[in-house]
Amino acid sequence: MSVLITNNSSKVRIKWLASVTSDAWLQQALAHPIELLIDHAHCERKAAGAALQMMFRYLCEPGLAEALSPLVREELEHFECVLEILKSRGRYLEPLHAPPYGAVLAKSIRGVEPERMLDSFLVAGLIEARSHERMSLLASNCPDIELANLYRDLLTSEARHFGIYWTLAEERFDRKVITSRLQELAAVEAETLIELHCAPRMHS
Amino acid sequence: MSVLITNNSSKVRIKWLASVTSDAWLQQALAHPIELLIDHAHCERKAAGAALQMMFRYLCEPGLAEALSPLVREELEHFECVLEILKSRGRYLEPLHAPPYGAVLAKSIRGVEPERMLDSFLVAGLIEARSHERMSLLASNCPDIELANLYRDLLTSEARHFGIYWTLAEERFDRKVITSRLQELAAVEAETLIELHCAPRMHS
């Protein structure tokens, strides 16, 4: 799962994602760079929280904690980078109304094991994949050089994080079961993004 | 709050702690080094979880996230170190029955703000201070050189973490209010340790 993307000028098509981000999203995002940056800080800390929660839930599962703990640390490093830029521009974290994206995906996680574990890996992976796609768009199109560089620096990690979740799934589940469920979840993920959210968000 | 300890041969007296760890605890801990190590891994990940939870609760409080996020990362680094040693000895994380220590201290945190915030800082700080004291004992007395070195490497961080929580408190509360409440909570902390827990734990 090392190759996640196939490049196509500034627009990238991410393997596994069931849709390509719309131009309307990009225009909305570019028009509100600081609000998007604050939202991105929230995304990084939420990704850290979700991975830590997963690590705690399956704590005695061999091979899981040593994969997830460094991932949590990296999400927090990114959170701190974003916070630094916000502060350098006289801003800080602000409460933002969350789009339905995360809640819809969380609801798609089945409640019984081992399906719950598989879905948790795949949902987390899909969110990372979508972040990667959108950061690629921002890195190529954001006129603010500092922000474009930030997104460029972060986007490779998002792809790597998808790979970590994919590997965790592959070590524990049959490849056919994984790809079939990933396609189902990718369809849900794409559906939540069909209607553009009223506010600029990384996952709206 | 840079000087946390006054040294007295292998036994250290930690400023703010209302009691000194008993010899009975040390003997129990030394007799079960691997169980203590597994418990210590749990302590590091719980400390990370508690700090992240605090960061999420007070997310828009300026100066908090940038202090707590690196602290969470460091706790997780320590967790990974301990896990590595466990794995090198053919062991892994195991579910352990928790002593009442954490739950008793959590109950002492008042429910209304800003008292809740102050108590959260002080309780977290006291746990770090106790860890520091006990790791000093283990570093000086553990006959297993690898484990003694591990505890020696980690103990200075515990003192620094106490300092972080102290600073967070001092930036937001009156010094007299802090020291008075810290004494009260330190008395509770010491009381939970009077009776030695049946199983070897870092905080028992």
Side-chain angles (χ1 to χ4, degrees), chain B residues 42 74 91 110-111 114-115 118 124 149 173-174 179 186 194:
Chain B
H42 286 297
E74 196 171 36
R91 300 290 289 267
R110 289 168 291 181
E115 290 83 358
L118 174 62
N149 286 342
F173 298 89
D174 180 79
T179 53
I194 288 175

Side-chain angles (χ1 to χ4, degrees), chain B residues 89-102:
Chain B
R89 296 181 180 212
R91 300 290 289 267
Y92 200 70
L93 298 163
E94 294 167 22
L96 291 183
H97 182 76
Y101 184 83

Side-chain angles (χ1 to χ4, degrees), chain A residues 40-119:
Chain A
H40 183 51
H42 286 298
C43 289
E44 295 284 2
R45 61 117 188 144
K46 281 181 195 169
L52 196 70
Q53 200 177 33
M54 219 182 297
M55 185 177 118
F56 280 22
R57 191 190 307 139
Y58 304 114
L59 198 67
C60 300
E61 165 81 18
L64 201 79
E66 51 269 56
L68 289 180
S69 182
L71 187 148
V72 173
R73 289 195 288 110
E74 196 172 34
E75 303 283 11
L76 289 175
E77 259 178 29
H78 296 172
F79 167 77
E80 291 163 38
C81 283
V82 177
L83 189 56
E84 267 312 299
I85 295 184
L86 278 174
K87 286 169 68 178
S88 74
R89 296 181 180 212
R91 299 290 288 269
Y92 199 71
L93 298 164
E94 291 167 24
L96 291 185
H97 182 75
Y101 184 83
V104 170
L105 284 173
K107 267 189 201 157
S108 307
I109 295 173
R110 289 168 291 180
V112 289
E113 299 296 355
E115 290 83 357
R116 187 185 186 196
M117 181 191 270
L118 174 62
D119 289 2

Side-chain angles (χ1 to χ4, degrees), chain A residues 122-140:
Chain A
L122 297 182
V123 161
L126 281 170
I127 298 173
E128 300 281 357
R130 181 63 70 187
S131 299
H132 175 85
E133 183 220 26
R134 295 195 160 178
M135 283 188 199
S136 301
L137 285 172
L138 294 167
S140 301

Side-chain angles (χ1 to χ4, degrees), chain B residues 41-106:
Chain B
H42 286 297
C43 289
E44 295 284 3
R45 60 116 187 146
K46 282 182 194 169
L52 196 69
Q53 199 177 34
M54 219 182 295
M55 187 177 117
F56 280 23
R57 192 190 307 141
Y58 303 114
L59 199 67
C60 300
E61 167 80 18
L64 202 76
E66 51 269 57
L68 289 180
S69 183
L71 187 147
V72 174
R73 288 195 288 111
E74 196 171 36
E75 303 282 13
L76 289 176
E77 260 178 29
H78 297 174
F79 167 76
E80 291 163 36
C81 283
V82 177
L83 188 56
E84 266 312 299
I85 294 184
L86 278 173
K87 285 169 70 179
S88 73
R89 296 181 180 212
R91 300 290 289 267
Y92 200 70
L93 298 163
E94 294 167 22
L96 291 183
H97 182 76
Y101 184 83
V104 169
L105 284 173

Side-chain angles (χ1 to χ4, degrees), chain A residues 158-174:
Chain A
E158 310 293 320
R160 196 161 29 74
H161 294 172
F162 175 89
I164 290 170
Y165 285 116
W166 175 272
T167 302
L168 286 172
E170 231 184 7
E171 287 166 352
R172 290 165 182 80
F173 299 89
D174 179 79

